Amino acid sequence: MNITVSKKLDRVFPYLMVLPAIVLFIMFVISPFFYGFYTSLFKWDGLSDMKWLGFTNYKHVFGDPQFWNAIKNTFVYALVITVFKNGIGLALALMLISRKHGTTFCRTALYMPVTFSYVVIGVLWTWVYNPTFGILDGVLNLVGLGGLSQGWLSDPDIALYSVAAVDIWKWIGFHLVLYYTGLQAIPETYYEAADIDGANWFRKFWHITIPQLNSVIVMNVLLAITGAFVNNYNLVNVMTQGGPFGSTDVSLTYIVRTAFSYRNLGQANAMSMVLFAMVFIIGFAQFKVMTREENTTD
Amino acid sequence: MKNRHTAKSAISTILIWAVLIFFLVITIYPVIWMIFGSLKDTSTFYLNIWGFPSEPVWKNYIGAWQYGDLGTKYLNTIIVTGVFLLILLPVNCCAAYTIARMNFRFKKAIYTFLLIGLMIPGGVLGMPTYSVALKLGLVNNLIGLSIVLAGQAISFGVFLLRAFFVSLPKSLEEAALIDGCNRFSAFAKIILPLIKPAIMIQIVFSGLNTWNEYFLSNLMLRTDALKTLPLGVIKFIGEYSTDYPQMFAALTISTLPMIIVYILAQKQFITGLTAGATKG
């Protein structure tokens, strides 16, 4: 009797152990997708009763130039930060890997902004960009480049890039550390063999470093892109609120505004679905890369 | 020939250090600027924007603390982060352990299912998530926010912890079971202590994300009395006539604990990051 009970318990034990994770996960990761889609078919302000609309919300979203402007800004932003975070991160990692001293200090110091909240960083950089007493214009004046000084956050042509620069600033250390770790894993003998063949720095970089670093590069690029969507909401909300003239409006700021200021949660969820459809492929690629090694070893 | 070579490498060393120092300065100086700014006198702030405060003015900190009600914000942030970790750690450890070290039907399917979260770029489904929380009555509630954030941290945590559980030798539980442990006590008493480093990484990494969380907090916490630090600091911008030193003091107050924790636990921060992103 006792033995059969304990045997039964043994059989359900694994399921009991994973159950809490599955429940929480379904509630706050899976169900938002379905509930979001469901509510996108209604006129709903989040408070009063829902009114069936069918696909009318989607028709409005597809015909809304402000939404497409926000989507365009989102992708420009994602592209800019991905290129610069990875370019600078890899370049600095290559510089550090050849040094003998001070590398730990450099990595530790450059990684520090990763730990700060976007709000603190956003506020801080709003004052760095400030036209009357910001340090950026101050430095430009000091080195005689005062002519380059801009309305960093007030010029519609520049504001989005000024915001993106802050994001890049925050994450350089993160990518630097990932690339540095990747470079450390490349066997020294590859370079020694190339030295014997008389290869120059660029040939070694192109024929050894890049191919060896391949999976690290893919991972870094994907992490930068998938991080872009919520990062830009945080910074834009703190620094520019989407202005001037919608030039820094990104998808999440516009979605939140639609839900809260225009009281149209149904339409905001329709926008979320459209955005999700557009970025899902990037997320799927990240998932594939992260689980690739596991699948080959299993 | 040899001389030319050393001269060339000396120049490249100097250039490399120039670039590194440039990035070190642009990383560190804004932070130092913030701390200096917080110690300046409001009336002389404009006269000395860049440099060292002539005489540190500590009352900015008292002013910022009172004006921003930062005590409450601190407490709220501690509650959200604490409850978040209290939920997340046991849930993730149990799930990751089971998936890593036990055999049962649908194991692979359950694991793949739990990883779907990695496919959804952060924030993209934020508004639908808010809608669900609204429906469940979790909006404007600190514990509600903790639960939602814990749900969203499951994929990454299970992924991270599983890799550590898998790396432990297979014979551990068998020995414990022979010694009379049941399955659960074998897990809790023998295995868990061995993956302490991985748990530390999860605490530091996910805890930090929650401590700094802004997007969902901003959607979900609507009352002033419930706001967390990131939401509270916002109060100091946009009011053009207020004093800047006080604003810098508020920024420093909310950042300093992170700088201290970072300096104390750099290793966890940096290994956590590389383990999370490259392991698997």
Side-chain angles (χ1 to χ4, degrees), chain A residues 13 50 91 93 121 135 158 177 228 256 293:
Chain A
F13 179 71
M50 292 155 78
I121 287 177
I135 42 178
I158 295 169
V177 169
V256 171
E293 276 173 47

Side-chain angles (χ1 to χ4, degrees), chain A residues 111 114-115 174 178 290, chain B residues 81 84-85 88-89 92-93 153 156-165 167 192-211 258 261-262 264-279:
Chain A
Y111 188 81
V114 174
T115 64
F174 175 91
L178 284 184
M290 279 179 90
Chain B
T81 310
F84 164 83
L85 288 173
L88 184 71
L89 289 176
N92 268 355
C93 283
F156 173 74
V158 167
F159 177 72
L160 173 83
L161 292 172
R162 180 194 164 273
F164 283 89
F165 280 120
S167 67
L192 270 190
L194 291 174
I195 66 146
K196 239 187 225 153
I199 297 176
M200 274 308 292
I201 289 169
Q202 166 101 80
I203 291 176
V204 164
F205 211 66
S206 298
L208 173 79
N209 278 342
T210 302
W211 184 273
M258 275 305 119
V261 171
Y262 175 60
L264 294 176
Q266 304 159 25
K267 234 182 134 186
Q268 271 82 9
F269 273 91
I270 293 184
T271 49
L273 154 86
T274 34
T278 57
K279 232 193 183 93

